Amino acid sequence: MDTQSLLHDLAGLIPPQRLLTRPGQVAPFESDALTSYRVRPEAVVLVESQQEVIETVRLCHRYGVPFVARGSGTSLSGGSLPVKGGIVIALNRLNRILRIDPEQRLAVVEPGVINLNVSKAAAPFGLYYAPDPSSQPVCTIGGNLAFNAGGAHCLKYGMTSNHVLALKVVLADGEVVELGSPSLEGIGADLPGLFVGSEGLFGVALEVTLRLLPKPEAFKTVLAAYRSLKTAGDTVAEILRAGLLPGAVEIMDNLAIQAAQAAVNAGYPPDAAGLLIVELDGEAGSVAADFERLMPLIRQSGAYEVRIAADDAERLRIWQGRKSAFSAVGRLSPDYLVQDGVVPRSRLGEALEHIQALSQKYGIRVANVFHAGDGNLHPLVLFDGRQAGAYEQAEKLAHEIVELCIRLEGSITGEHGVGMEKRAFLPAMFAEADVDAMHAIRLQMDPLEIANRGKMFPN
Amino acid sequence: MKPTSVAELQEMVRAQPHLRLRGGGSKTALAGAAGAASTLETGGLTGMLQYQPEEFTFTALAGTPLVEIEAELAAHGQYLPFDPPLVEAGATLGGATAAGLSGACRVRYGGLRDFILGVRFVDGQGNLVRSGGKVVKNAAGFDLSKFMAGSLGEFGALVELSFKVFPRPPAYTTLRAQYEKLTEALQALARLANSPLEMFALDLEPSDGGYAIHARLGNPSPEIQAGRIQRLKGLLGGDAQALETPQEAELWRSHREFTWLRPGSTLIKAPLTPSNIPGLESFFQQNGEAAQAQRIYSAAGNVAWIGWQGQAAVLDAALGRMGLSGLALLGPAQRTWYGIRRGEVFAQRVRQALDPQGKFHWSAGG
């Protein structure tokens, strides 16, 4: 690793105001949304062109210096945590929307474009970009792509990977490759499919072709409040069993409801033990027909209060509460850990009961907000980092939840990625041969292992 | 060779220098020759391993015929939304995945790659490798499951696959509209594809000296269907007509099974976007007759299925000029790949990792 030579050469490439090296300048890049991990990078390069990214990566490869490509740093798995002795390539200024093609329904964007801005640019054409992670007003497409971000509407629309058609990337050894095509169909191995979700371990995306969808013309958003979390969970199973395919099916427990209420006053019933949000979306006729089938199910499900969003404003308020839940929990507790495990949907109730039992066992509060339709849990383990041993206890509890997901044949992560935080669990979910095969691919893409070193694979 | 267990298959991979896979043999231009010494047949690895209808997921061995899987799903009101082709011809789950094929009805919810959740495969060293999982959402590890969609058995032998499924629509309605000019047909195609109408299939094909569009709607409930059909008619323009039930089913069956392909023709799949269609059509107008060219532009103009009896080099050059690529699926394959190749360098790196000796690499030189 020859950091000094790298910095010297970078200075010839990047103007000083965009090559940050002073401690005060690089401090904001020390961590991402997983704030319990911090590493100070040697430098931060604020790139403004694809060519600058390519040159920077090539220099890193030449001098064997690790780099972390980073967008807005909203990773909850420590995915954009800097590497000791390495640099950060900050992509937020590489944020041009190069093309919106309404005829082919696609957008070509650079990685620093903010998720929500894609939909804003597509809106005049009646189109939108479907993946909607809660952080969508700030998170970038590059980060979404690296971690195969999800959101509330994955049940019907899939994750980021289902919306990426083509990519131009610079691999970690400096080679630039183009993967995929603007068509929804392909031939040959699905190369964009492998790149998406590779957690920055192959290289850096420079240009991304995204699929856009016609905006749903109708929505029906229903809120149902339950006296028990389990009943809310059982209702999800009923809805799916009936053959309905809502755009989103979300559940929040009482702690999460209180937090969301305090933060944005979403109008949630404050006493509910479990709150179910079901959203039907799509063509007006089918939404109306599905709504006729959904409502009897909800009315007979034991909900003590049912509300239907009367207009767009009310619908947005419901979603605002849900999407602010993570940050809102900050009002209940100085610190928290978010888990992101997945369980088979029919075992949601079992998983929730187990989490409650763990919460009691440890005497630690756990708030639950989850994508119930996908079986994707988001337990928020609350703790006070100022108390000695509190973090360790919270982490222990969180790890028990991850193990539970593995035991139930689920996954350690649904949408946040493995990153730093769950890398110890990759070998628990996968056999040695599986991890070896992944690592062999990593080495082919990045022989020096400089791209986002230390993430995904166990130390 | 026809292993009856994964362990046996692993042994065969370790022992053999070259291997070509064969599932049901329905993709005649891609499958290894039946009975050949280096052909690894998956027909001994069949069966549903796990299917819980309330989970909307299943796991099956690679050699399981799709006809069996579809029957089992249908018994629970579910289906494979990517509409895999050649089911009646004997396609297997592994073969459909390796070929990366989706059918006309992929328009509604997506293609095969959008529904695959996990795979187990045997790599070039004989290791059994798993990627993905059995749950509908998963971001753990590299997504080799998606990578395997379309991999043509060239990076390993798929042995087990997990998929997500959806509820099956109770009925369908298909409208047909005829256009004199391609530009009119393409305008209608764009109107439909950009509308919020939830179509299952949207195909365009030359017909009666002009072009025909077939648009298929699900029919969730008869009460709303009349209004939806009116709306679809409005978007199609002209005198769009609904097909009668038996013809409706037969049309999509013919698209799915490629029964429209002339005997002796090679079937080529060429991914594209609607903007490529005029260029391709003018090529067919000049060169198509001699080659007895047939074509259907499916999935809202995202794929051309081309029947071709002419010289492969002519079509290859034409697709290449347009920046398109093609893959031969059926019939006498003079070559496997047509037009340009994308991302080969990247694929080659994966090959170095999974199959450094290139045991599974058969299509080189195409």
Side-chain angles (χ1 to χ4, degrees), chain B residues 4 12 22 27 38 52 55 66 92 101 155 167 171 185 191 212 215 218 280 291 304 314 321 338 343:
Chain B
T4 52
M12 290 169 181
R22 180 185 174 90
K27 273 73 81 180
S38 62
Q52 279 178 282
E55 281 297 329
L66 287 174
T92 62
L101 291 187
F155 299 85
R191 276 199 303 275
L280 207 48
V314 174
R321 274 196 305 278
Y338 289 71

PDB file of all heavy atoms in Angstrom, chain B residues 4 12 22 27 38 52 55 66 92 101 155 167 171 185 191 212 215 218 280 291 304 314 321 338 343:
ATOM      1  N   THR B   4     -28.264 -39.640 -10.920  1.00  0.00           N
ATOM      2  CA  THR B   4     -29.524 -39.664 -10.179  1.00  0.00           C
ATOM      3  C   THR B   4     -29.359 -39.021  -8.805  1.00  0.00           C
ATOM      4  O   THR B   4     -30.291 -38.992  -8.014  1.00  0.00           O
ATOM      5  CB  THR B   4     -30.033 -41.104 -10.004  1.00  0.00           C
ATOM      6  OG1 THR B   4     -28.973 -41.885  -9.445  1.00  0.00           O
ATOM      7  CG2 THR B   4     -30.446 -41.694 -11.348  1.00  0.00           C
ATOM      8  N   MET B  12     -19.060 -36.904 -11.747  1.00  0.00           N
ATOM      9  CA  MET B  12     -18.950 -36.838 -13.209  1.00  0.00           C
ATOM     10  C   MET B  12     -18.242 -35.561 -13.637  1.00  0.00           C
ATOM     11  O   MET B  12     -17.423 -35.566 -14.545  1.00  0.00           O
ATOM     12  CB  MET B  12     -20.340 -36.919 -13.852  1.00  0.00           C
ATOM     13  CG  MET B  12     -20.962 -38.309 -13.714  1.00  0.00           C
ATOM     14  SD  MET B  12     -22.704 -38.292 -14.189  1.00  0.00           S
ATOM     15  CE  MET B  12     -23.121 -40.011 -13.875  1.00  0.00           C
ATOM     16  N   ARG B  22     -27.949 -31.127 -20.667  1.00  0.00           N
ATOM     17  CA  ARG B  22     -29.194 -31.343 -21.381  1.00  0.00           C
ATOM     18  C   ARG B  22     -30.300 -31.579 -20.357  1.00  0.00           C
ATOM     19  O   ARG B  22     -30.209 -32.471 -19.516  1.00  0.00           O
ATOM     20  CB  ARG B  22     -29.077 -32.565 -22.298  1.00  0.00           C
ATOM     21  CG  ARG B  22     -30.336 -32.865 -23.092  1.00  0.00           C
ATOM     22  CD  ARG B  22     -30.186 -34.172 -23.887  1.00  0.00           C
ATOM     23  NE  ARG B  22     -31.427 -34.526 -24.535  1.00  0.00           N
ATOM     24  CZ  ARG B  22     -31.782 -34.134 -25.756  1.00  0.00           C
ATOM     25  NH1 ARG B  22     -30.969 -33.365 -26.467  1.00  0.00           N
ATOM     26  NH2 ARG B  22     -32.934 -34.486 -26.280  1.00  0.00           N
ATOM     27  N   LYS B  27     -34.887 -26.993 -26.144  1.00  0.00           N
ATOM     28  CA  LYS B  27     -34.168 -25.943 -26.881  1.00  0.00           C
ATOM     29  C   LYS B  27     -33.113 -26.653 -27.726  1.00  0.00           C
ATOM     30  O   LYS B  27     -31.950 -26.779 -27.313  1.00  0.00           O
ATOM     31  CB  LYS B  27     -33.516 -24.949 -25.908  1.00  0.00           C
ATOM     32  CG  LYS B  27     -34.390 -23.808 -25.473  1.00  0.00           C
ATOM     33  CD  LYS B  27     -35.466 -24.168 -24.516  1.00  0.00           C
ATOM     34  CE  LYS B  27     -34.934 -24.259 -23.101  1.00  0.00           C
ATOM     35  NZ  LYS B  27     -36.032 -24.614 -22.141  1.00  0.00           N
ATOM     36  N   SER B  38     -20.216 -36.878 -23.539  1.00  0.00           N
ATOM     37  CA  SER B  38     -19.954 -35.713 -22.687  1.00  0.00           C
ATOM     38  C   SER B  38     -21.229 -34.979 -22.292  1.00  0.00           C
ATOM     39  O   SER B  38     -21.179 -33.933 -21.669  1.00  0.00           O
ATOM     40  CB  SER B  38     -19.021 -34.746 -23.420  1.00  0.00           C
ATOM     41  OG  SER B  38     -19.660 -34.294 -24.598  1.00  0.00           O
ATOM     42  N   GLN B  52     -44.785 -24.685  -0.431  1.00  0.00           N
ATOM     43  CA  GLN B  52     -45.837 -24.294   0.496  1.00  0.00           C
ATOM     44  C   GLN B  52     -46.600 -23.187  -0.201  1.00  0.00           C
ATOM     45  O   GLN B  52     -46.096 -22.073  -0.331  1.00  0.00           O
ATOM     46  CB  GLN B  52     -45.235 -23.739   1.784  1.00  0.00           C
ATOM     47  CG  GLN B  52     -44.786 -24.785   2.769  1.00  0.00           C
ATOM     48  CD  GLN B  52     -44.165 -24.111   3.976  1.00  0.00           C
ATOM     49  OE1 GLN B  52     -43.024 -23.675   3.914  1.00  0.00           O
ATOM     50  NE2 GLN B  52     -44.926 -24.006   5.048  1.00  0.00           N
ATOM     51  N   GLU B  55     -46.576 -19.654   1.011  1.00  0.00           N
ATOM     52  CA  GLU B  55     -45.322 -18.901   0.913  1.00  0.00           C
ATOM     53  C   GLU B  55     -45.132 -18.294  -0.478  1.00  0.00           C
ATOM     54  O   GLU B  55     -44.278 -17.438  -0.671  1.00  0.00           O
ATOM     55  CB  GLU B  55     -44.128 -19.816   1.208  1.00  0.00           C
ATOM     56  CG  GLU B  55     -43.887 -20.093   2.680  1.00  0.00           C
ATOM     57  CD  GLU B  55     -43.542 -18.841   3.459  1.00  0.00           C
ATOM     58  OE1 GLU B  55     -42.937 -17.916   2.887  1.00  0.00           O
ATOM     59  OE2 GLU B  55     -43.923 -18.783   4.642  1.00  0.00           O
ATOM     60  N   LEU B  66     -41.271 -28.592 -16.506  1.00  0.00           N
ATOM     61  CA  LEU B  66     -42.131 -27.459 -16.164  1.00  0.00           C
ATOM     62  C   LEU B  66     -43.591 -27.844 -16.162  1.00  0.00           C
ATOM     63  O   LEU B  66     -44.396 -27.278 -15.423  1.00  0.00           O
ATOM     64  CB  LEU B  66     -41.892 -26.311 -17.149  1.00  0.00           C
ATOM     65  CG  LEU B  66     -40.563 -25.570 -16.973  1.00  0.00           C
ATOM     66  CD1 LEU B  66     -40.371 -24.561 -18.099  1.00  0.00           C
ATOM     67  CD2 LEU B  66     -40.509 -24.865 -15.634  1.00  0.00           C
ATOM     68  N   THR B  92     -37.459 -28.159 -18.932  1.00  0.00           N
ATOM     69  CA  THR B  92     -37.285 -28.372 -17.499  1.00  0.00           C
ATOM     70  C   THR B  92     -37.017 -27.028 -16.818  1.00  0.00           C
ATOM     71  O   THR B  92     -36.678 -26.041 -17.483  1.00  0.00           O
ATOM     72  CB  THR B  92     -36.087 -29.287 -17.225  1.00  0.00           C
ATOM     73  OG1 THR B  92     -34.900 -28.643 -17.727  1.00  0.00           O
ATOM     74  CG2 THR B  92     -36.257 -30.639 -17.886  1.00  0.00           C
ATOM     75  N   LEU B 101     -35.133 -18.025 -20.509  1.00  0.00           N
ATOM     76  CA  LEU B 101     -36.265 -17.737 -21.386  1.00  0.00           C
ATOM     77  C   LEU B 101     -37.530 -17.382 -20.615  1.00  0.00           C
ATOM     78  O   LEU B 101     -37.925 -18.080 -19.696  1.00  0.00           O
ATOM     79  CB  LEU B 101     -36.563 -18.942 -22.272  1.00  0.00           C
ATOM     80  CG  LEU B 101     -35.538 -19.279 -23.354  1.00  0.00           C
ATOM     81  CD1 LEU B 101     -36.086 -20.378 -24.243  1.00  0.00           C
ATOM     82  CD2 LEU B 101     -35.173 -18.050 -24.168  1.00  0.00           C
ATOM     83  N   PHE B 155     -21.381 -22.171 -16.886  1.00  0.00           N
ATOM     84  CA  PHE B 155     -20.606 -21.806 -15.693  1.00  0.00           C
ATOM     85  C   PHE B 155     -20.777 -22.835 -14.579  1.00  0.00           C
ATOM     86  O   PHE B 155     -20.241 -22.668 -13.491  1.00  0.00           O
ATOM     87  CB  PHE B 155     -21.028 -20.421 -15.192  1.00  0.00           C
ATOM     88  CG  PHE B 155     -20.783 -19.336 -16.200  1.00  0.00           C
ATOM     89  CD1 PHE B 155     -21.719 -19.063 -17.182  1.00  0.00           C
ATOM     90  CD2 PHE B 155     -19.596 -18.622 -16.182  1.00  0.00           C
ATOM     91  CE1 PHE B 155     -21.482 -18.069 -18.130  1.00  0.00           C
ATOM     92  CE2 PHE B 155     -19.355 -17.631 -17.116  1.00  0.00           C
ATOM     93  CZ  PHE B 155     -20.299 -17.363 -18.103  1.00  0.00           C
ATOM     94  N   PRO B 167     -50.218 -15.410  -7.621  1.00  0.00           N
ATOM     95  CA  PRO B 167     -51.545 -15.964  -7.898  1.00  0.00           C
ATOM     96  C   PRO B 167     -51.862 -15.875  -9.392  1.00  0.00           C
ATOM     97  O   PRO B 167     -51.495 -14.906 -10.064  1.00  0.00           O
ATOM     98  CB  PRO B 167     -52.491 -15.078  -7.081  1.00  0.00           C
ATOM     99  CG  PRO B 167     -51.694 -13.897  -6.646  1.00  0.00           C
ATOM    100  CD  PRO B 167     -50.263 -14.280  -6.696  1.00  0.00           C
ATOM    101  N   ALA B 171     -58.877 -15.675 -15.499  1.00  0.00           N
ATOM    102  CA  ALA B 171     -59.219 -15.720 -16.931  1.00  0.00           C
ATOM    103  C   ALA B 171     -58.484 -14.592 -17.644  1.00  0.00           C
ATOM    104  O   ALA B 171     -57.899 -13.721 -17.012  1.00  0.00           O
ATOM    105  CB  ALA B 171     -60.720 -15.565 -17.113  1.00  0.00           C
ATOM    106  N   ALA B 185     -48.629   0.995 -35.971  1.00  0.00           N
ATOM    107  CA  ALA B 185     -48.594  -0.116 -35.012  1.00  0.00           C
ATOM    108  C   ALA B 185     -47.664   0.222 -33.849  1.00  0.00           C
ATOM    109  O   ALA B 185     -47.984  -0.040 -32.688  1.00  0.00           O
ATOM    110  CB  ALA B 185     -48.137  -1.392 -35.702  1.00  0.00           C
ATOM    111  N   ARG B 191     -48.404   3.597 -26.900  1.00  0.00           N
ATOM    112  CA  ARG B 191     -49.563   4.051 -26.099  1.00  0.00           C
ATOM    113  C   ARG B 191     -49.927   3.006 -25.056  1.00  0.00           C
ATOM    114  O   ARG B 191     -50.177   3.321 -23.899  1.00  0.00           O
ATOM    115  CB  ARG B 191     -50.779   4.253 -27.010  1.00  0.00           C
ATOM    116  CG  ARG B 191     -50.867   5.588 -27.722  1.00  0.00           C
ATOM    117  CD  ARG B 191     -52.295   5.858 -28.208  1.00  0.00           C
ATOM    118  NE  ARG B 191     -52.848   4.837 -29.084  1.00  0.00           N
ATOM    119  CZ  ARG B 191     -52.659   4.789 -30.409  1.00  0.00           C
ATOM    120  NH1 ARG B 191     -51.898   5.689 -30.999  1.00  0.00           N
ATOM    121  NH2 ARG B 191     -53.217   3.835 -31.133  1.00  0.00           N
ATOM    122  N   ALA B 212     -50.066  -6.706 -36.929  1.00  0.00           N
ATOM    123  CA  ALA B 212     -51.119  -6.964 -35.946  1.00  0.00           C
ATOM    124  C   ALA B 212     -50.541  -6.836 -34.545  1.00  0.00           C
ATOM    125  O   ALA B 212     -49.396  -7.202 -34.301  1.00  0.00           O
ATOM    126  CB  ALA B 212     -51.690  -8.361 -36.140  1.00  0.00           C
ATOM    127  N   ALA B 215     -52.993  -7.879 -27.598  1.00  0.00           N
ATOM    128  CA  ALA B 215     -52.829  -7.407 -26.221  1.00  0.00           C
ATOM    129  C   ALA B 215     -53.690  -8.269 -25.316  1.00  0.00           C
ATOM    130  O   ALA B 215     -54.876  -8.462 -25.571  1.00  0.00           O
ATOM    131  CB  ALA B 215     -53.239  -5.944 -26.110  1.00  0.00           C
ATOM    132  N   GLY B 218     -55.568  -9.657 -18.030  1.00  0.00           N
ATOM    133  CA  GLY B 218     -56.135 -10.603 -17.083  1.00  0.00           C
ATOM    134  C   GLY B 218     -57.593 -10.237 -16.883  1.00  0.00           C
ATOM    135  O   GLY B 218     -58.022  -9.132 -17.226  1.00  0.00           O
ATOM    136  N   LEU B 280     -34.998  -3.177 -38.132  1.00  0.00           N
ATOM    137  CA  LEU B 280     -35.026  -4.625 -38.331  1.00  0.00           C
ATOM    138  C   LEU B 280     -36.052  -4.993 -39.414  1.00  0.00           C
ATOM    139  O   LEU B 280     -35.796  -5.854 -40.261  1.00  0.00           O
ATOM    140  CB  LEU B 280     -35.365  -5.294 -36.992  1.00  0.00           C
ATOM    141  CG  LEU B 280     -34.880  -6.710 -36.747  1.00  0.00           C
ATOM    142  CD1 LEU B 280     -33.402  -6.895 -37.084  1.00  0.00           C
ATOM    143  CD2 LEU B 280     -35.131  -7.111 -35.293  1.00  0.00           C
ATOM    144  N   ALA B 291     -34.957 -15.782 -47.063  1.00  0.00           N
ATOM    145  CA  ALA B 291     -34.650 -16.547 -45.848  1.00  0.00           C
ATOM    146  C   ALA B 291     -35.909 -17.089 -45.188  1.00  0.00           C
ATOM    147  O   ALA B 291     -35.839 -17.688 -44.122  1.00  0.00           O
ATOM    148  CB  ALA B 291     -33.898 -15.657 -44.870  1.00  0.00           C
ATOM    149  N   ALA B 304     -37.317  -9.864 -30.111  1.00  0.00           N
ATOM    150  CA  ALA B 304     -37.765 -10.373 -31.407  1.00  0.00           C
ATOM    151  C   ALA B 304     -37.505 -11.868 -31.424  1.00  0.00           C
ATOM    152  O   ALA B 304     -36.398 -12.318 -31.119  1.00  0.00           O
ATOM    153  CB  ALA B 304     -36.998  -9.694 -32.531  1.00  0.00           C
ATOM    154  N   VAL B 314     -25.724 -13.545 -42.671  1.00  0.00           N
ATOM    155  CA  VAL B 314     -26.472 -12.360 -43.090  1.00  0.00           C
ATOM    156  C   VAL B 314     -27.208 -11.747 -41.902  1.00  0.00           C
ATOM    157  O   VAL B 314     -27.155 -10.539 -41.657  1.00  0.00           O
ATOM    158  CB  VAL B 314     -27.465 -12.726 -44.225  1.00  0.00           C
ATOM    159  CG1 VAL B 314     -28.355 -11.539 -44.568  1.00  0.00           C
ATOM    160  CG2 VAL B 314     -26.699 -13.221 -45.447  1.00  0.00           C
ATOM    161  N   ARG B 321     -24.839  -4.740 -37.025  1.00  0.00           N
ATOM    162  CA  ARG B 321     -24.901  -3.345 -37.485  1.00  0.00           C
ATOM    163  C   ARG B 321     -25.832  -2.520 -36.621  1.00  0.00           C
ATOM    164  O   ARG B 321     -25.626  -1.347 -36.394  1.00  0.00           O
ATOM    165  CB  ARG B 321     -25.412  -3.296 -38.939  1.00  0.00           C
ATOM    166  CG  ARG B 321     -24.345  -3.471 -40.008  1.00  0.00           C
ATOM    167  CD  ARG B 321     -24.867  -3.022 -41.371  1.00  0.00           C
ATOM    168  NE  ARG B 321     -26.098  -3.677 -41.781  1.00  0.00           N
ATOM    169  CZ  ARG B 321     -26.152  -4.900 -42.349  1.00  0.00           C
ATOM    170  NH1 ARG B 321     -25.045  -5.584 -42.552  1.00  0.00           N
ATOM    171  NH2 ARG B 321     -27.307  -5.426 -42.706  1.00  0.00           N
ATOM    172  N   TYR B 338     -25.423 -14.422 -32.358  1.00  0.00           N
ATOM    173  CA  TYR B 338     -25.555 -13.512 -33.490  1.00  0.00           C
ATOM    174  C   TYR B 338     -25.282 -12.087 -33.009  1.00  0.00           C
ATOM    175  O   TYR B 338     -25.557 -11.751 -31.862  1.00  0.00           O
ATOM    176  CB  TYR B 338     -26.982 -13.562 -34.066  1.00  0.00           C
ATOM    177  CG  TYR B 338     -27.305 -14.847 -34.802  1.00  0.00           C
ATOM    178  CD1 TYR B 338     -27.470 -16.035 -34.109  1.00  0.00           C
ATOM    179  CD2 TYR B 338     -27.446 -14.865 -36.184  1.00  0.00           C
ATOM    180  CE1 TYR B 338     -27.770 -17.213 -34.779  1.00  0.00           C
ATOM    181  CE2 TYR B 338     -27.744 -16.037 -36.858  1.00  0.00           C
ATOM    182  CZ  TYR B 338     -27.907 -17.207 -36.147  1.00  0.00           C
ATOM    183  OH  TYR B 338     -28.192 -18.370 -36.810  1.00  0.00           O
ATOM    184  N   GLY B 343     -20.368  -7.485 -22.518  1.00  0.00           N
ATOM    185  CA  GLY B 343     -19.892  -7.867 -21.185  1.00  0.00           C
ATOM    186  C   GLY B 343     -19.095  -9.160 -21.136  1.00  0.00           C
ATOM    187  O   GLY B 343     -18.962  -9.758 -20.071  1.00  0.00           O
TER     188      GLY B 343
END
